[in-house]
Amino acid sequence: MLRRLYAWTMAKAADRRAEWWLALFAFVEASFFPVPPHAVLGVMCLSQPKKAVRFAIITTLASVAGGLLGYTIGHFLFASIGEQLLSALHLTNSFPYAACKLRGDTGFLAIILKGATPIPFKLITITAGFVGMPIGKFLAASLISRSISFLIVGILFRLFGAPIKAWIDKYLGLAVAGFLLLVVGGFVAAAMLSSHKSTAADPCSNATMSSITQSA
């Protein structure tokens, strides 16, 4: 069944509307959808390796645009929508630490570094809007962060598309398991943000939901 699904997805990836679906997937993931778009991006890159960088750029730009929706939710609709989204995604406990980090001078760097981690991007976008990070600063950091996350995928498939496809064709189960671990690992990493021990070097380790909302 997994093989049939893989073959069907590969065929759909060559469809003329596939780029629009990829963009939509990246857009919603940046604000509320729980599954990262790397799998869709990877399948499309496998189907057409010569367009891999193009697909990665589309994913990057759509994700940044979706990040603006997450930012808007956090800034204007946190009480009515944002809190419920974070709760549904099991990110509520991670929010105070993330808000503290993004509110400080390290906010720009924190967003960029997120590109090298599987932490869900919607936690960053909603939180950035809530703390009122300057929109230009948020967009610049998001563009760099998302480029790190997606362009690496596109470049690797462009350079090594055939060997990667041969490996996935042979070890499809391992590839799927690896992606599932990436998704789960992202939420686990986000959950770990709320379990930092209090240290003088990291004042955000003491952040709580009440302290963050009261200072908003």
Side-chain angles (χ1 to χ4, degrees), residues 3-16:
R3 290 284 175 184
R4 290 197 297 271
L5 178 61
Y6 174 60
W8 180 84
T9 306
M10 285 289 287
K12 291 299 181 183
D15 187 272
R16 60 186 178 84

Side-chain angles (χ1 to χ4, degrees), residues 70-114:
Y71 184 99
T72 301
I73 291 173
H75 195 70
F76 297 106
L77 303 169
F78 184 78
S80 58
I81 298 177
E83 282 190 290
Q84 287 76 6
L85 274 177
L86 293 177
S87 177
L89 295 168
H90 304 288
L91 296 172
T92 301
N93 292 336
S94 308
F95 172 75
Y97 187 86
C100 180
K101 284 293 185 182
L102 294 186
R103 180 173 283 161
D105 295 333
T106 60
F108 186 85
L109 181 60
I111 293 180
I112 293 176
L113 292 178
K114 185 266 161 263

